């Protein structure tokens, strides 16, 4: 009998594969054999007609020995991590290029920051570049642009970045290669009776809580960030698999239909790519507190947000920034893109739409946040 995952996997054309540091490195640096084995699988997937985009960590792991850094990545101070990444990123790419070349494949490096993807024009540009690379049969290899990021514009971890990339290229599947076998109901390193969960239909708070305590050996994120990534990708409509990438050829076995790892089913009612971007990629710059009437109009009647429904705001934002929409007590229930700056809103909130022009001397439209630029509820992490 065909399981849900085999049916869904048979519809995949484009796949984002996230490769964790723990998969391709050990305490001495990059493990070239593992990279070679992975690239062999990538080649086979390409032969089977899949479009493959890689999101690979490993820059810090590849460069840290030069700086005499030992220990787990999250314990390394940011400037040192950035320096190590600057040393290691070219090594990482070189390793992929050499390994892919063995199979007649070309590789391209894409370095991104969260800021790049939060800006719609840069987002679309990155998307165009990726699509062009795929069209020309090149394997894009994405990593965070570690050298230039500060906390505010960091993805923080490549699990998150891989979910963003899945949305960016509209892939049908995200595969997270980890140094653990998948999601367990308790930590398998401490509990020998821990059971691997093979399929997750919906990521409930209980499942997330279960993962909270489970870390991985070398990676930065642990299970929590992997589940967050799975949640984001599945909401966008992509299935997500977490499998052990240290076991040779697991990637191929997954595509062959073996029931390995944990597979998260895509949401039945996926968000459009643009809404997903608003919910997850754009960082909110402020909050709009709505009165009861506006809250109902927005949540129950599918309306846009007008100035009359806003009774308070905080933050400093520009036109086009994301803002949180909250009830009168400040509890967030949605995210949206604002048509007006915070300075403008301070003058027109609580007023009727027809008064906007009289007060400001111009107007961009009646809506403060248009319905098409609003995501209800799922904006909560
Ligand atoms: N960008 C980092 C690196 O390449 C890894 C971040 C992560 O794995 O989450 O080393």
């Amino acid at each position: 009998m065909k399981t849900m995952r085999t049916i869904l996997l048979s519809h995949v054309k484009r796949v984002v594969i996230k490769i964790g540091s723990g998969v391709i490195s050990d305490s001495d640096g990059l493990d070239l054999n593992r990279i070679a084995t992975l690239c062999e699988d990538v080649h086979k997937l390409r032969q089977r007609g899949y479009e493959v985009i890689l999101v690979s960590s490993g820059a810090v792991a590849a460069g840290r020995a030069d700086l005499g850094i030992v220990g787990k990545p999250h314990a390394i101070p940011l400037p040192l991590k950035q320096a190590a990444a600057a040393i290691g990123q070219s090594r990482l790419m070189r390793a992929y290029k050499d390994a892919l070349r063995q199979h007649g494949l070309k590789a391209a490096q894409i370095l991104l920051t969260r800021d790049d993807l939060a800006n719609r024009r840069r987002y679309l540009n990155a998307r165009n570049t990726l699509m062009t690379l795929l069209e020309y049969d090149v394997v894009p290899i994405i990593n965070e642009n570690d050298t230039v990021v500060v906390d505010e514009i960091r993805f923080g971890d490549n699990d998150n970045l891989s979910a963003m990339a899945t949305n960016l290229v509209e892939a049908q599947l995200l595969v997270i290669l980890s140094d653990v076998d998948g999601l367990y109901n308790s930590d398998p390193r401490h509990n020998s009776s821990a059971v691997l969960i093979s399929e997750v239909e919906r990521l409930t708070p209980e499942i997330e809580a279960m993962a909270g305590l489970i870390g991985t050996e070398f990676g930065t994120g642990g299970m929590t960030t992997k589940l967050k990534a799975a949640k984001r990708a599945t909401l966008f409509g992509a299935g997500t698999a977490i499998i052990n990438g240290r076991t040779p050829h697991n990637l191929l076995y997954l595509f062959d239909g073996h029931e390995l790892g944990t597979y998260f089913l895509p949401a039945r009612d996926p968000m459009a790519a643009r809404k997903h971007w608003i919910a997850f990629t754009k960082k909110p710059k402020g909050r709009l507190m709505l009165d009861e009437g506006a809250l109902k109009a927005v949540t129950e009647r599918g309306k846009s947000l007008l100035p009359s429904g806003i009774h308070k705001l905080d933050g400093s934002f520009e036109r086009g920034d994301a803002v949180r929409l909250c009830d009168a007590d400040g509890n967030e229930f949605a995210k949206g893109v604002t048509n007006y700056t915070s300075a403008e809103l301070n003058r027109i909130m609580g007023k009727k739409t027809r008064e906007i022009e009289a007060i400001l001397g111009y107007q961009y439209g009646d809506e403060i946040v248009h319905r098409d630029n609003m995501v209800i509820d799922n904006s909560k992490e």
Side-chain angles (χ1 to χ4, degrees):
M1 199 192 73
K2 280 196 164 179
T3 60
M4 201 59 196
R5 87 152 80 179
T6 26
I7 296 167
L8 288 165
L9 282 175
S10 68
H11 288 102
V12 172
K13 288 198 174 67
R14 188 173 292 157
V15 52
V16 171
I17 300 168
K18 189 263 168 173
I19 303 164
S21 301
V23 172
I24 51 163
S25 70
D26 49 36
S27 47
D28 299 329
L30 291 179
D31 183 333
L32 298 182
N33 286 330
R34 281 187 198 284
I35 294 180
T37 310
L38 267 174
C39 290
E40 216 179 297
D41 286 3
V42 169
H43 170 58
K44 296 238 168 75
L45 292 180
R46 296 292 320 261
Q47 281 183 321
R48 294 183 193 181
Y50 295 104
E51 291 180 325
V52 179
I53 296 100
L54 303 183
V55 174
S56 183
S57 308
V60 174
R64 67 179 172 194
D66 285 29
L67 300 176
I69 305 168
V70 284
K72 286 200 169 194
H74 62 254
I76 309 170
L78 190 58
L80 264 189
K81 227 192 262 186
Q82 291 176 310
I87 296 169
Q89 179 62 27
S90 57
R91 279 186 198 148
L92 182 66
M93 278 312 294
R94 176 71 192 262
Y96 277 113
K97 281 197 168 170
D98 288 349
L100 287 169
R101 199 189 303 121
Q102 299 296 320
H103 307 283
L105 287 171
K106 295 192 179 79
Q109 166 182 275
I110 313 258
L111 296 178
L112 292 173
T113 67
R114 188 180 166 125
D115 242 18
D116 295 327
L117 297 190
N119 174 308
R120 193 73 187 163
R121 266 182 54 213
R122 273 144 76 182
Y123 173 93
L124 292 174
N125 258 332
R127 185 185 150 82
N128 285 343
T129 307
L130 282 158
M131 293 306 169
T132 308
L133 289 168
L134 292 178
E135 215 173 285
Y136 280 79
D137 267 353
V138 181
V139 181
I141 304 177
I142 304 174
N143 197 357
E144 180 152 26
N145 194 351
D146 288 309
T147 317
V148 299
V149 290
V150 287
D151 271 339
E152 283 217 317
I153 60 163
R154 283 176 77 208
F155 291 102
D157 57 79
N158 275 3
D159 295 323
N160 186 16
L161 174 56
S162 68
M164 306 292 182
T166 305
N167 177 22
L168 184 66
V169 300
E170 293 183 34
Q172 297 84 23
L173 179 69
L174 167 64
V175 181
I176 298 181
L177 297 181
S178 174
D179 52 11
V180 293
D181 288 337
L183 176 65
Y184 283 87
N185 64 352
S186 67
D187 195 335
R189 291 171 305 174
H190 307 302
N191 181 358
S192 57
S193 56
V195 180
L196 180 72
I197 302 169
S198 159
E199 200 162 282
V200 175
E201 197 180 328
R202 219 169 57 84
L203 261 167
T204 58
E206 291 76 40
I207 297 180
E208 286 174 63
M210 201 161 74
L213 307 167
I214 309 174
T216 61
E217 199 65 27
F218 298 102
T220 38
M223 208 26 92
T224 307
T225 61
K226 288 177 183 47
L227 288 201
K228 262 195 178 171
K231 190 170 185 179
R232 289 171 176 197
T234 51
L235 270 176
F236 165 65
T240 302
I242 300 177
I243 62 173
N244 195 327
R246 288 175 73 88
T247 313
H249 306 301
N250 250 359
L251 189 55
L252 276 190
Y253 298 151
L254 174 77
F255 281 86
D256 285 341
H258 293 257
E259 295 276 315
L260 47 94
T262 305
Y263 179 76
F264 301 80
L265 268 73
R268 290 220 185 96
D269 179 21
M271 267 187 213
R274 186 179 157 77
K275 292 223 171 187
H276 189 280
W277 173 76
I278 292 170
F280 296 120
T281 309
K282 270 184 99 64
K283 221 174 188 172
K285 297 278 172 62
R287 290 191 306 165
L288 306 183
M289 267 61 86
L290 275 56
D291 63 25
E292 191 76 12
L295 182 83
K296 281 215 169 107
V298 164
T299 53
E300 291 170 21
R301 286 186 278 123
K303 299 280 189 207
S304 296
L305 175 63
L306 305 177
S308 54
I310 306 171
H311 84 98
K312 218 170 101 190
L313 64 95
D314 58 31
S316 161
F317 44 85
E318 296 300 317
R319 191 168 136 72
D321 278 345
V323 288
R324 298 180 200 277
L325 306 190
C326 305
D327 64 16
D329 298 326
N331 303 311
E332 177 184 345
F333 66 90
K335 236 185 238 168
V337 175
T338 172
N339 283 329
Y340 289 86
T341 67
S342 47
E344 289 163 340
L345 275 183
N346 269 317
R347 297 170 61 198
I348 58 174
M349 68 179 167
K351 303 284 196 259
K352 298 263 179 280
T353 44
R354 59 168 188 278
E355 295 176 273
I356 299 177
E357 186 150 10
I359 297 170
L360 298 178
Y362 53 86
Q363 73 146 326
Y364 301 122
D366 288 352
E367 302 87 8
I368 303 304
V369 177
H370 193 279
R371 189 70 207 173
D372 295 345
N373 290 329
M374 197 187 284
V375 187
I376 310 283
D377 209 22
N378 283 321
S379 55
K380 286 180 193 156
E381 302 259 315

